[in-house]
Amino acid sequence: MSSAAATEAGSMTERLTLVEGVREGLHTEMERDDRVMVLGEDVGKNGGVFRATEGLYDEFGGGRVVDTPLAESGIVGSAIGLALSGLRPVAEMQFMGFMYPAFDQLVSHAARLRSRSHGQYTCPLVVRAPYGGGIRAPEHHSESKEAFFVHEPGLKVVIPSTPADAKGLLTAAIRDPDPVMFLEPKLIYRAFREEVPQKSYEVSLGEAAVRREGSDISVYTWGAMTRPTLIAADNLADEHGVDCEVVDLRTLSPLDAGTVVASFEKTGRAAVVHEAPKTGGVGAEIATTIQEEALMYQEAPIKRIAGLDAPIPLHALEDYYLPQAVRIQDGILETVEF
Amino acid sequence: MSTQDDTDYQNAIETAQLDDEPIRILDDDGTLLSSAEPPALSEAELLEMYADIKLARHFDQRAVSFQRQGRIATYAPMTGQEGSQVATSHALDDEDWLFPTYRDHAAKYVHGADLAALLKTLRGYREGYAIPDDVNLMPEYIPIATQVPQAMGMAWGQMLQGNDDTAVLCHLGDGATSEGDFHEGLNFAGVFDVPAVFVCNNNQWAISVPRERQTASETIAEKAHAYGVEGVRVDGMDPLAVYAVTRAAIKKAKAPTDDERRPTLIESVQYRYGAHTTSDDPSVYRDEAESEAWRDRDPLDRLETYLYQTDVLNAEREAKIEARIEAEVATAIETAEAAETSPERMIEHVYEETPNRLQEQFDELSTLREKYGDDAFAEVLG
């Protein structure tokens, strides 16, 4: 949680998981603004398959918490129309792996309504989707394809890694005048709790958070990979005396290049950790940004610690596929010792 | 499987279409309806169908229990729906193709999938998706309705290549009829008049959303008319009716008469007794009494009663069948649990030839495994 948010909130906090942070973000924003509505598959009575919308149907009714037919393109397309009509829809895609039917609506329309209409129309829409592996889910339930959306101008891409950020970033996303892809790391939906302000607050989009200060190397990550990266950083400090700076990007588009570059200028070395396939992943964008803006500070090749260029396997092997602490540590050491 | 003349059922289908009543052959108790004639299946075929349904139910119970014990991952139960799955696959000829969803375990098994392989997939091994060479079956489809245009295309391809003895059967759920792919697939099927049969397993619930909130149409079968495809409703918990209707549709797909269209959409009206998957709790969204009411039309009970009434089945035969299927499922479990996998499987079959960059990524991982041991890879969150 940013220190500004904590101060603003005073002492009224509650200990929440990340998925509860999402729910609190929806709840406080629906209370504050009656234009905000939630739509998707199973989001109403069932409270969402991950319980992210639990209780909202009872409190706000079926008119604002809408169980739709099973149709991703229909959900996002209708949400675009709802947004055009003046409402503030938050559409849920049940899993990122199922959102491809909505891809056309997102990239052909949501992303460019503003530019296509020369600013006449806007699309204040949020699309929420759980993403990523590690929860022993069936095929198509573990994808991490944030790069698809980062590549599309006009879309914002946000990934929280803490309960307090989940609430604050989602609030900011709902209030944002542009379409926001809000991707939720389901591996850490319930992995830990932290104090979250009860009141409504925003964590600004487009601002990375330095989770750990350090001087030897900058390690950039987001979402579910933030936890193993911090574990790796602690291990490296204890076992090798390596002092990692860990930067949680929080917003992948627009990228907080200022924080990325400033951290690199301090350390001169970089590693990027993501669970998405390595090729064409957001890690490549971060590495190139550093090359373009801070080449003269560079003391070692930039290391990408990522998923393989293969479909994420079924659960028996997914721990080999996802970066975990030893892989992250090893990659960081290789860079530091270059 | 059957080569009998199904004209009677074709007539029944046409009559039933007029009032949207699902076609039935057995009443709720399993007695032959006075207006109906049983499909021309031999005693052996009837017993085989019965044994397959019984095996499916036993497998389903074991699978749910295994999921609870943590021995397999998320599982989509099929109890209540096995009768329809088994009957549709019995209606196929070996050369026909089957496009299954994630819930069609029994349909896959009957058409030639290996029981142990189904369990391997549930244990998290992609090897379980491998299809035996002589079986015309696709791996299960998990994204909803995506199989519909593909099944249409397979049927189209068979037709274009003159394979007139091959039809395609495609399973989907009631929720799938909301997806664009359903409409695109059915529309193509009508336009190109392909030898395909689409079976909508209308189990009344798409996770928590009831059929009535999935479509404002009175029936799912009626959607077929918009695409120039024949639509028919059948009691999906009456295995004999499902068999008869599907068999007629498959035969028509391969050899329509002058006034017939090849493709058919069958709405198999049934009920999912249990959860959508082991990950959800149906008590949150539906009334248990509703589920109980459907159990009065249970497909296994009905077929069993019918077979006892017609002396095809007796206690001795039933006991024999029971022992056989329990042994078969037990063996499949043993085989699946003895199976081993290896990280190499992650990069196999991604491309015909593994690209260097992927191989290098894997080699890097292998070096780390040697250095730190496999235990270090056991948990991502440490």
Side-chain angles (χ1 to χ4, degrees):
Chain A
M1 168 188 358
S2 71
S3 56
T7 314
E8 234 179 77
S11 58
M12 295 289 282
T13 62
E14 52 192 336
R15 287 183 66 74
L16 300 182
T17 61
L18 193 145
V19 72
E20 289 166 349
V22 169
R23 183 165 65 228
E24 269 308 292
L26 291 170
H27 183 250
T28 51
E29 207 51 19
M30 289 184 82
E31 264 184 338
R32 196 188 70 91
D33 182 351
D34 61 14
R35 296 172 306 167
V36 178
M37 61 180 289
V38 168
L39 70 160
E41 294 155 22
D42 304 294
V43 298
K45 265 194 174 170
N46 202 31
V49 293
F50 287 105
R51 299 286 171 267
T53 55
E54 195 166 43
L56 300 179
Y57 178 88
D58 291 335
E59 187 169 347
F60 298 105
R64 290 182 68 194
V65 184
V66 186
D67 276 328
T68 65
L70 199 169
E72 295 81 6
S73 182
I75 293 166
V76 172
S78 64
I80 291 170
L82 288 162
L84 285 166
S85 83
L87 293 172
R88 291 290 177 270
V90 182
E92 178 179 300
M93 299 280 101
Q94 207 153 59
F95 286 87
M96 181 187 248
F98 297 150
M99 71 194 301
Y100 306 122
F103 199 69
D104 181 42
Q105 291 289 345
L106 286 165
V107 304
S108 302
H109 301 289
R112 52 203 295 170
L113 260 167
R114 183 185 294 279
S115 56
R116 279 178 64 219
S117 67
H118 206 67
Q120 188 71 26
Y121 301 128
T122 62
C123 191
L125 160 70
V126 176
V127 177
R128 296 181 36 245
Y131 86 95
I135 64 156
R136 307 288 183 262
E139 196 188 5
H140 305 289
H141 289 66
S142 303
E143 276 68 13
S144 179
K145 297 292 174 63
E146 59 272 26
F148 288 166
F149 304 106
V150 169
H151 192 61
E152 186 57 41
L155 292 180
K156 293 183 176 176
V157 181
V158 176
I159 303 185
S161 73
T162 72
D165 269 7
K167 178 174 174 178
L169 288 168
L170 181 55
T171 304
I174 295 170
R175 294 177 191 174
D176 196 277
D178 286 312
V180 180
M181 304 300 297
F182 193 83
L183 308 178
E184 299 168 9
K186 58 183 177 290
L187 175 61
I188 53 169
Y189 258 158
R190 295 184 172 80
F192 59 97
R193 291 181 178 273
E194 72 172 4
E195 296 293 332
V196 175
Q198 286 186 357
K199 64 175 285 188
S200 179
Y201 63 93
E202 287 186 53
V203 173
S204 299
L205 305 187
E207 287 183 14
V210 177
R211 298 292 179 199
R212 187 186 196 283
E213 300 261 1
S215 55
D216 292 331
I217 182 169
S218 302
V219 189
Y220 304 96
T221 190
W222 53 91
M225 290 298 106
T226 308
R227 298 280 286 180
T229 300
L230 287 166
I231 292 168
D234 285 345
N235 290 346
L236 285 166
D238 293 347
E239 295 164 19
H240 298 274
V242 172
D243 190 18
C244 298
E245 177 144 309
V246 176
V247 180
D248 172 5
L249 290 170
R250 301 198 290 196
T251 301
L252 298 181
S253 179
L255 188 70
D256 182 357
T259 301
V260 168
V261 170
S263 177
F264 186 76
E265 287 177 353
K266 190 166 96 178
T267 64
R269 297 179 185 87
V272 188
V273 183
H274 63 62
E275 59 178 290
K278 186 173 181 178
T279 296
V282 177
E285 183 59 38
I286 292 165
T288 311
T289 300
I290 292 168
Q291 295 270 309
E292 284 176 340
E293 300 192 21
L295 180 67
M296 300 315 285
Y297 293 83
Q298 188 166 345
E299 293 179 24
I302 299 167
K303 178 78 181 171
R304 284 179 287 168
I305 302 153
L308 305 179
D309 291 344
I312 183 164
L314 297 185
H315 70 267
L317 296 174
E318 69 181 339
D319 286 342
Y320 289 104
Y321 180 95
L322 299 169
Q324 46 334 72
V326 288
R327 262 180 83 191
I328 299 169
Q329 278 164 234
D330 210 83
I332 291 171
L333 266 182
E334 185 190 318
T335 310
V336 171
E337 291 169 355
F338 175 77
Chain B
M1 286 183 178
S2 166
T3 53
Q4 301 295 321
D5 182 16
D6 295 293
T7 313
D8 289 348
Y9 298 103
Q10 197 55 45
N11 293 339
I13 290 166
E14 281 157 17
T15 313
Q17 268 184 275
L18 299 176
D19 53 11
D20 285 336
E21 275 302 308
I23 293 169
R24 320 177 79 198
I25 287 176
L26 300 175
D27 73 9
D28 282 356
D29 297 326
T31 303
L32 189 68
L33 288 165
S34 56
S35 56
E37 273 203 41
L41 288 164
S42 68
E43 257 192 30
E45 286 171 327
L46 284 166
L47 283 173
E48 198 187 335
M49 191 187 287
Y50 167 73
D52 286 341
I53 297 172
K54 217 170 163 68
L55 179 142
R57 181 149 305 180
H58 180 62
F59 176 89
D60 203 53
Q61 287 164 350
R62 297 292 285 154
V64 170
S65 145
F66 274 23
Q67 194 281 332
R68 300 290 178 231
Q69 295 166 35
R71 290 158 77 177
I72 58 172
T74 309
Y75 173 73
M78 59 184 167
T79 299
Q81 303 184 232
E82 319 93 317
S84 185
Q85 284 189 29
V86 168
T88 52
S89 282
H90 269 265
L92 300 182
D93 296 308
D94 287 345
E95 60 269 29
D96 296 334
W97 277 84
L98 178 66
F99 283 63
T101 74
Y102 50 82
R103 202 187 301 284
D104 294 306
H105 322 292
K108 286 163 74 175
Y109 164 73
V110 173
H111 199 53
D114 175 41
L115 210 52
L118 301 182
L119 288 164
K120 278 183 204 168
T121 311
L122 294 164
R123 293 195 64 216
Y125 301 171
R126 195 156 52 208
E127 301 90 289
Y129 281 144
I131 310 289
D133 283 342
D134 55 346
V135 175
N136 288 345
L137 171 68
M138 292 299 292
E140 66 190 27
Y141 282 78
I142 295 177
I144 304 300
T146 44
Q147 69 277 22
V148 178
Q150 294 180 21
M152 178 276 153
M154 169 68 85
W156 193 13
Q158 298 297 342
M159 189 175 81
L160 291 174
Q161 294 169 87
N163 300 331
D164 295 334
D165 58 347
T166 304
V168 175
L169 187 139
C170 174
H171 283 283
L172 55 136
D174 37 310
T177 67
S178 301
E179 291 274 16
D181 273 350
F182 167 79
H183 302 277
E184 296 178 31
L186 264 286
N187 191 48
F188 271 51
V191 167
F192 297 104
D193 195 28
V194 302
V197 177
F198 303 95
V199 177
C200 176
N201 295 298
N202 171 10
N203 70 9
Q204 315 300 326
W205 291 90
I207 307 191
S208 72
V209 177
R211 212 286 299 162
E212 298 72 39
R213 300 295 295 168
Q214 206 59 243
T215 172
S217 295
E218 284 291 314
T219 73
I220 287 168
E222 75 187 51
K223 292 177 188 288
H225 301 306
Y227 303 114
V229 167
E230 187 178 357
V232 57
R233 297 189 94 204
V234 63
D235 178 345
M237 297 170 87
D238 175 347
L240 296 186
V242 174
Y243 172 82
V245 165
T246 310
R247 184 70 199 155
I250 289 285
K251 287 184 69 172
K252 174 169 69 75
K254 295 182 193 189
T257 58
D258 285 348
D259 59 343
E260 284 177 332
R261 306 279 295 165
R262 290 174 189 273
T264 306
L265 171 64
I266 298 172
E267 178 184 357
S268 177
V269 183
Q270 53 195 263
Y271 196 79
R272 148 164 71 79
Y273 292 167
H276 160 68
T277 70
T278 46
S279 296
D280 84 316
D281 171 12
S283 72
V284 175
Y285 53 80
R286 74 181 190 195
D287 185 0
E288 200 45 38
E290 177 190 286
S291 169
E292 285 307 313
W294 282 85
R295 283 172 195 264
D296 293 341
R297 301 182 214 169
D298 186 77
L300 179 58
D301 292 349
R302 281 161 83 180
L303 186 60
E304 194 167 280
T305 301
Y306 170 74
L307 295 181
Y308 266 101
Q309 282 174 354
T310 51
D311 289 328
V312 174
L313 192 61
N314 54 44
E316 193 191 338
R317 279 182 170 176
E318 189 189 340
K320 251 186 171 164
I321 288 171
E322 207 158 80
R324 174 166 67 77
I325 63 175
E326 281 180 17
E328 192 175 337
V329 172
T331 305
I333 290 167
E334 257 174 52
T335 309
E337 294 212 303
E340 288 179 357
T341 189
S342 142
E344 282 81 9
R345 302 285 101 81
M346 288 194 292
I347 63 164
E348 280 177 1
H349 307 298
V350 180
Y351 301 93
E352 185 170 307
E353 197 177 328
T354 299
N356 290 342
R357 282 169 68 86
L358 176 53
Q359 188 62 51
E360 282 162 19
Q361 291 170 11
F362 184 75
D363 292 344
E364 195 180 335
L365 177 65
S366 300
T367 308
L368 287 172
R369 284 175 62 211
E370 276 165 32
K371 192 166 162 187
Y372 295 104
D374 277 347
D375 284 351
F377 291 81
E379 288 291 339
V380 174
L381 293 182

